[in-house]
Amino acid sequence: MRILVCGGAGYIGSHMSLALAECGHTVEVVDDLSTGHAAAVRWGTLHRGDLGDAAFIGPLLRRIQPDAVMHFAARSLVGESVADPALYYRNNVAATLTLLEAMRATVPRPFVFSSTAAVYGEPQCVPIDENHACAPINPYGVTKHTVERALADYWRAYRLPSVSLRYFNAAGAEAQARIGESHAPETHLIPRVLKSALDGGGPLTVFGDDYPTADGTCIRDYVHVEDLCQAHLLALERLCAQPSHEVFNLGNGRGYSVREVLQATAEVVGRPVAHRVGPRRAGDPAVLVADSGRAREILGWRPRRTDLSAIVDSAWRWHRRPAF
Ligand code: UFG
């Protein structure tokens, strides 16, 4: 199939392009390179442009005629979304609606949407399944949830088939370390810990050790980026066989604390990682762990790289290389 990967120059989008190419699909990437890297587009053709520009995306869709669209292009920093919500509503909502309009007009084909655990807001119970109330607590989560709701409505009204995949904490890099996570600024725990281990980032600050967890630090559900990509392939297969609108959580179902990440990293790199304990970061829930039973049952998804050391090890091999 010919798949349009929006945001294919970014972290998860570039891994998805590789996974699609490995399955024999033809990959067309759209990216404005505002946060992605041209060098990460290695398994598809890059079409540089803004998804929010109807004069760009409409003609491109007509020319490429993709069999399906996977949409990763978004701003994804919680803090930034609070400081500059307009950026998030424009990039994550308005641009996605422009893309969907163009698809309705030309190719109403399966649409796989990159969503997030941030749609749930403060968890009322863990593990979190898809029936948990959606009450996002920051503009980032609101914008992703808004698109999810639009997709449900577009399926009912226009029969545009879609799936929303709610990622928990994406981490790791592909086995050969040709691509990996590279954000500027980097806010995520594992790359920050690895930067500290490489001695370039200074000591890591642990954001609070007085949470109601066994070691006092926050617990998160780290899911390997290659496992995420497998879930997308399965979701795409299902959408093609049975068009509908569905929502799936994607996580390991097992949580690890910040201290456990530090410990696993120390084992992988062979030395302790310098760190200090600082105050809590605003808006961090103590525990976020997915119930991904639905993806396992319905999609037959079986995450394979669930061990924290394996996740950190793959990220470490990427971070030791020169950046893009
Ligand atoms: N942390 C530190 N020090 C750091 C960075 C992070 O202690 O330097 C801690 C955080 O406080 C948190 C954990 O490490 O407890 C993980 O933090 P990340 O920033 O890596 O990830 P989040 O859990 O905050 O964010 C993830 C996704 C977001 C999504 C959010 C849902 O990356 O896209 O879950 O709440 F919005």
Side-chain angles (χ1 to χ4, degrees), residues 121-128 168 211-214 217-221 255-256 284-290:
E122 188 68 39
Q124 303 305 307
C125 55
V126 280
I128 301 171
F168 280 64
Y211 284 94
T213 60
T217 64
C218 287
I219 292 177
R220 293 290 181 273
D221 184 332
Y256 295 98
D284 274 343
V287 182
L288 271 181
V289 175

Side-chain angles (χ1 to χ4, degrees), residues 118 140 169 187-189 192 205-207 218 220 281 284 288:
Y140 170 58
N169 289 65
T187 62
H188 293 124
L189 179 66
R192 277 197 171 182
T205 301
V206 174
F207 295 146
C218 287
R220 293 290 181 273
R281 185 172 68 178
D284 274 343
L288 271 181

Side-chain angles (χ1 to χ4, degrees), residues 66-244:
D67 299 298
V69 174
M70 291 189 169
H71 182 34
F72 300 89
R75 309 295 295 207
S76 62
L77 300 176
V78 169
E80 185 184 56
S81 79
V82 175
D84 190 1
L87 184 66
Y88 280 69
Y89 284 93
R90 195 167 58 242
N91 275 275
N92 296 4
V93 180
T96 303
L97 296 182
T98 302
L99 168 64
L100 291 171
E101 274 311 287
M103 285 180 66
R104 272 201 324 124
T106 53
V107 278
R109 296 285 162 74
F111 187 81
V112 180
F113 178 60
S114 201
S115 190
T116 170
V119 299
Y120 294 115
E122 188 68 39
Q124 303 305 307
C125 55
V126 280
I128 301 171
D129 69 17
E130 294 83 354
N131 295 319
H132 187 288
C134 287
I137 54 172
N138 49 63
Y140 170 58
V142 171
T143 58
K144 288 287 181 173
H145 190 230
T146 303
V147 172
E148 284 197 2
R149 294 182 61 167
L151 291 174
D153 290 340
Y154 280 33
W155 165 245
R156 273 189 293 271
Y158 312 127
R159 285 293 179 253
L160 192 131
S162 62
V163 62
S164 292
L165 300 176
R166 295 175 177 164
Y167 314 155
F168 280 64
N169 289 65
E174 65 100 9
Q176 294 180 44
R178 289 168 293 182
I179 47 174
E181 188 169 8
S182 178
H183 297 117
E186 186 53 80
T187 62
H188 293 124
L189 179 66
I190 291 179
R192 277 197 171 182
V193 171
L194 293 173
K195 280 197 168 84
S196 296
L198 273 172
D199 217 19
L204 178 97
T205 301
V206 174
F207 295 146
D209 68 350
D210 57 350
Y211 284 94
T213 60
D215 66 17
T217 64
C218 287
I219 292 177
R220 293 290 181 273
D221 184 332
Y222 297 95
V223 53
H224 197 284
V225 63
E226 290 185 320
D227 284 326
L228 282 183
C229 292
Q230 282 309 311
H232 286 67
L233 291 173
L234 293 166
L236 177 62
E237 239 173 68
R238 181 171 164 85
L239 266 188
C240 292
Q242 274 173 260
S244 62

Side-chain angles (χ1 to χ4, degrees), residues 10-88:
Y11 171 42
I12 304 173
S14 60
H15 283 80
M16 192 69 236
S17 300
L18 169 59
L20 288 165
E22 280 179 346
C23 291
H25 298 299
T26 301
V27 177
E28 307 279 355
V29 168
V30 167
D31 205 299
D32 64 1
L33 301 183
S34 58
T35 57
H37 310 271
V41 184
R42 299 179 53 164
W43 297 279
T45 307
L46 174 62
H47 307 274
R48 186 174 180 176
D50 177 3
L51 280 179
D53 177 1
F56 162 71
I57 194 65
L60 186 74
L61 281 178
R62 275 196 295 280
R63 186 152 54 82
I64 292 175
Q65 293 284 323
D67 299 298
V69 174
M70 291 189 169
H71 182 34
F72 300 89
R75 309 295 295 207
S76 62
L77 300 176
V78 169
E80 185 184 56
S81 79
V82 175
D84 190 1
L87 184 66
Y88 280 69

